[in-house]
Amino acid sequence: MHSTYLLSLTILAVFTVSFAGGERFKEAPKFFNSPECLTIENDDDFVCSDKAIHVAMTLDTAYLRGSMAVILSVLQHSSCPQNIVFHFVTSKQTHRLQNYVVSSFPYLKFRIYPYDVAAISGLISTSIRSALDSPLNYARNYLADILPTCLSRVVYLDSDLILVDDISKLFSTHIPSDVVLAAPEYCNANFTTYFTPTFWSNPSLSITLSINRRRPPCYFNTGVMVIELKKWREGDFTRKIIEWMELQKRIRIYELGSLPPFLLVFAGNIAPVDHRWNQHGLGGDNFRGLCRDLHPGPVSLLHWSGKGKPWVRLDDGRPCPLDALWVPYDLLESRFDLIES
């Protein structure tokens, strides 16, 4: 059902956006609020508006094509697209990236925030895939410090996904007063594989996952999260994550990039979200990126986590079947040239 709907979407684009030495993107259509949407009275105040739906993402040249697709998918499926505010965190080429966003989405409400990679680079340990070692992957650890203190809640999204449902449903997830974040959990995953034998053989470390937990810890994917920023700041959770990263530099206790510190701090203490909001793993594993099918059940968000990214596989002429679901949101200009010819 979802596949048929997505594949039948009209290719959206009107104008060309180009910059010297970079990719060229089309300008996306403007989307308008439904009559029942709240009105944000003063556009100057949208960054802190409690009537807005706040979305945080990282932005860089390597994943720009994916990021543009995310933005389009969020707006297209929202009932109140004019009430969505994007908060982009970037480490370099801020002005250039801003030009891309403004040119493809001239009506978009957004802000860009600089991220000091020097502060985090010394804490990053090599992982099983080099792409996971990018300092920008760790920006989610610092969102509560980077984003304005007036923000209380934000949806964090990776750049390798698309939404096919209204993001307001995800944004309004119920989070208990003593919980900081919400995300889909996957309790059937083998939790032990996310940490090394060194971790599990040390009782003073492994016991961490058994104490002060609301329930037994389960794996969750950090590419889709609803975060209560004020609670995060009050609990000083950035410091708690950094402490695990500092320990990792001395004793290798995990292999998989920025995910394990999140699991150590939050697993077992998050508000669960329906699995439809993160149909993850479509990029295959972290080594070969082979094709995968959807998990059983309804779909609100498709996530190409793993090595294989849909735009790369499409450009290589070796797409997986589900990559076709990403294509309608691809604003890359050269793709439209191929279609028209």
Side-chain angles (χ1 to χ4, degrees), residues 213-270:
R213 307 280 165 166
R214 294 165 60 92
R215 57 187 180 277
C218 294
Y219 161 76
F220 65 93
N221 182 282
T222 54
V224 180
M225 299 183 289
V226 185
I227 305 174
E228 294 280 9
L229 295 172
K230 289 186 177 179
K231 294 180 192 176
W232 182 296
R233 297 183 189 106
E234 292 167 357
D236 201 10
F237 285 98
T238 296
R239 179 187 58 80
K240 294 174 182 178
I241 289 175
I242 289 175
E243 286 177 350
W244 283 110
M245 294 176 66
E246 290 173 339
L247 178 62
Q248 166 77 352
K249 296 294 288 186
R250 302 193 300 271
I251 308 171
R252 195 159 184 86
I253 57 174
Y254 55 80
E255 303 287 353
L256 196 60
S258 61
L259 169 65
F262 260 85
L263 297 180
L264 288 164
V265 173
F266 293 111
N269 287 334
I270 72 171

Side-chain angles (χ1 to χ4, degrees), residues 63 127-133 285-287 305-307 309:
Y63 280 77
S127 62
I128 60 174
R129 183 159 60 89
S130 60
L132 300 176
D133 300 337
D285 60 24
N286 282 299
F287 298 100
S305 58
K307 184 178 181 180
K309 304 306 174 188

Side-chain angles (χ1 to χ4, degrees), residues 135-147:
L136 208 55
N137 280 340
Y138 292 82
R140 71 196 83 190
N141 300 0
Y142 298 89
L143 287 178
D145 302 322
I146 296 171
L147 301 184

Side-chain angles (χ1 to χ4, degrees), residues 35 48 57 76 120 135 196 219 266 281 283 314 338:
C48 293
M57 297 174 58
Q76 184 170 319
I120 185 66
T196 64
Y219 161 76
F266 293 111
L314 286 162
L338 290 173

Side-chain angles (χ1 to χ4, degrees), residues 312-328:
V312 174
R313 296 194 293 214
L314 286 162
D315 287 352
D316 289 344
R318 295 181 297 178
C320 293
L322 290 176
D323 294 345
L325 303 180
W326 183 87
V327 171

Side-chain angles (χ1 to χ4, degrees), residues 1 3-4 6 86 89 130 167 201 232 239 255 259 261 277 291 303 306-307 311 331:
M1 177 176 66
S3 301
T4 303
L6 283 170
F86 283 87
V89 179
S130 60
I167 196 170
S201 64
W232 182 296
R239 179 187 58 80
E255 303 287 353
L259 169 65
W277 286 104
C291 298
H303 188 186
K307 184 178 181 180
W311 57 91
L331 290 174

Side-chain angles (χ1 to χ4, degrees), residues 117-168:
V117 298
I120 185 66
S121 296
L123 292 172
I124 297 175
S125 301
T126 56
S127 62
I128 60 174
R129 183 159 60 89
S130 60
L132 300 176
D133 300 337
S134 167
L136 208 55
N137 280 340
Y138 292 82
R140 71 196 83 190
N141 300 0
Y142 298 89
L143 287 178
D145 302 322
I146 296 171
L147 301 184
T149 56
C150 61
L151 288 182
S152 59
R153 175 178 286 206
V154 69
V155 173
Y156 174 82
L157 297 176
D158 272 352
S159 295
D160 54 357
L161 55 82
I162 55 170
L163 275 78
V164 293
D165 203 345
D166 194 335
I167 196 170
S168 65

Side-chain angles (χ1 to χ4, degrees), residues 177-199:
S177 59
D178 59 342
V179 174
V180 178
L181 66 83
E185 290 183 299
Y186 305 91
C187 295
N188 291 330
N190 186 353
F191 197 79
T192 61
T193 61
Y194 293 97
F195 303 97
T196 64
T198 299
F199 174 85

